[in-house]
Amino acid sequence: MTGLRSSNRVLRVGAGQLGPIARDEPRHAVVKRLIGLLDLAAERSVELVAFPELALTTFFPRWYTEELSGHDHYFERSMPGPETQPLFDAARERGIGFSLGYAELTEDGRRFNTTVLVERDGSIVGRFRKVHIPGHDTDEPWRPFQHLERRYFEESEDGFGVWRAFDGLVGMATCNDRRWPETYREMGLQGVELILIGYNTPIHYAPDPTQNPLQGFHNHLCMQAGAYQNGTWVVGVAKGGTEEGVESLAQSAIIAPSGQIVAQAVTTADELVVADCDLDWCRHYKDTLFDFARYRRPEAYTRITAQKGVIEP
Ligand code: ING
């Protein structure tokens, strides 16, 4: 890969990592933190900042409520709303676009784990609702903390989209989505060049604690593989640190189409991780190894799978 050529489409991207958000931390205090990260981004001429999953509140699915509406104060009924408008104003004033994860409560009472993509003029150009909802949906008091996303969020039927924005093709995914190869491939088949992924990942995985020491490895493994196998940039951005007693993975990272980590967080607090993302670098993989039109064989995969287990003479 030759040096970044000025003629290339180089987008300066920031991963706006957040440290813990307290259970009773008011939205305006969190928005102030987000704007603080936008200020750091402006100082470094960053054009797009990715914020984490559920970036406006504490990770509330860790607590069970008898009433489904028990956590509704953590949800947004409009985006932007009165408390998030200052973030949209600050970003637009600075000419910085962003992605923002939040809990969405729709007018007809449906609940999604949602992320919006906002261009540098402050317009919302894309909306993604989390597809893979992990955890459980009933009270499991045996756990040191719960993971009730399946109680508070519906699984999206929208799938994975790619939007023309920031002079490229941009997609989104959320947390558990990053562990599934289909996530990257569905966007790879749409030519994606940059995937923004926010996450809240507890270190302790109650169903299998042997995975605890591997959380950092698995985090980067799946995003690096997804980037390389689809010739796309991937930005993974955490809400990390010990939040309401739960140690959560930080390790935000910006990953190139080669699968290399080009920048990563060194703290578990609010931190801006910056990299120049040459979107034309994607062609080095999309036009060679992973030229899907030339080398990929979906018609063969199904046939081989169908044959598996057939006893051949
Ligand atoms: N969190 C976690 C994630 O997929 C999890 C769920 C935690 C899975 C720990 C495995 C281990 O990163 C969300 N919010 O999806």
Side-chain angles (χ1 to χ4, degrees):
M1 170 71 192
T2 54
L4 294 182
R5 295 187 295 276
S6 58
S7 61
N8 280 15
R9 294 173 297 141
V10 178
L11 180 65
R12 183 161 292 179
V13 176
Q17 175 178 290
L18 287 174
I21 297 179
R23 182 172 195 159
D24 57 358
E25 191 162 347
R27 291 283 194 295
H28 66 78
V30 178
V31 166
K32 188 168 185 294
R33 289 169 57 183
L34 297 174
I35 293 174
L37 288 167
L38 288 180
D39 287 338
L40 293 177
E43 287 168 17
R44 299 181 62 177
S45 306
V46 167
E47 299 163 275
L48 165 58
V49 174
F51 289 122
E53 169 192 34
L54 298 177
L56 296 170
T57 67
T58 196
F59 188 76
F60 59 85
R62 66 168 66 92
W63 298 295
Y64 176 79
T65 58
E66 193 60 40
E67 296 300 321
L68 189 57
S69 59
H71 281 323
D72 277 1
H73 56 290
Y74 287 122
F75 284 74
E76 308 302 317
R77 289 162 174 75
S78 61
M79 185 52 69
E83 296 179 296
T84 48
Q85 189 59 54
L87 173 66
F88 280 69
D89 295 345
R92 189 182 61 255
E93 286 155 17
R94 291 159 179 75
I96 300 175
F98 62 95
S99 61
L100 180 74
Y102 64 95
E104 177 191 10
L105 177 57
T106 67
E107 287 179 355
D108 52 356
R110 303 182 67 188
R111 295 174 177 82
F112 296 100
N113 188 334
T114 300
T115 302
V116 286
L117 180 63
V118 183
E119 253 286 11
R120 290 154 288 193
D121 63 357
S123 62
I124 294 178
V125 295
R127 185 202 68 204
F128 170 75
R129 288 167 168 168
K130 187 172 182 179
V131 171
H132 299 96
I133 305 291
H136 50 104
D137 59 1
T138 56
D139 192 11
E140 296 186 7
W142 59 270
R143 295 168 178 257
F145 52 88
Q146 306 203 37
H147 202 106
L148 285 153
E149 287 194 66
R150 298 184 69 81
R151 176 173 178 75
Y152 296 107
F153 299 124
E154 287 183 40
E155 294 169 321
S156 162
E157 301 305 328
D158 301 342
F160 297 99
V162 172
W163 289 270
R164 287 201 173 284
F166 302 94
D167 195 22
L169 290 169
V170 182
M172 292 174 275
T174 304
C175 206
N176 199 257
D177 288 326
R178 77 188 185 287
R179 301 179 189 276
W180 299 86
E182 294 88 347
T183 297
Y184 304 92
R185 186 43 50 92
E186 285 306 323
M187 288 185 269
L189 291 167
Q190 298 172 65
V192 73
E193 297 170 320
L194 173 65
I195 301 177
L196 309 174
I197 308 178
Y199 58 86
N200 289 236
T201 298
I203 298 296
H204 178 61
Y205 184 56
D208 176 19
T210 69
Q211 296 181 34
N212 293 7
L214 298 171
Q215 289 301 352
F217 169 63
H218 287 156
N219 179 47
H220 285 164
L221 173 70
C222 53
M223 294 193 290
Q224 287 180 265
Y228 166 63
Q229 291 169 341
N230 294 280
T232 178
W233 288 88
V234 172
V235 178
V237 56
K239 169 141 63 66
T242 300
E243 183 177 273
E244 295 295 335
V246 175
E247 188 187 1
S248 305
L249 186 69
Q251 271 203 356
S252 302
I254 299 177
I255 297 161
S258 61
Q260 294 169 285
I261 294 174
V262 297
Q264 67 177 329
V266 292
T267 74
T268 59
D270 294 11
E271 178 180 345
L272 186 72
V273 180
V274 178
D276 284 341
C277 300
D278 176 359
L279 300 181
D280 292 318
W281 190 347
C282 299
R283 300 309 327 163
H284 283 254
Y285 293 86
K286 293 180 189 286
D287 293 350
T288 61
L289 270 173
F290 298 113
D291 177 342
F292 289 168
R294 186 172 184 191
Y295 298 121
R296 188 169 172 268
R297 299 198 54 223
E299 76 289 343
Y301 305 151
T302 306
R303 191 167 61 250
I304 292 172
T305 305
Q307 284 170 349
K308 190 163 60 179
V310 173
I311 307 300
E312 295 286 12

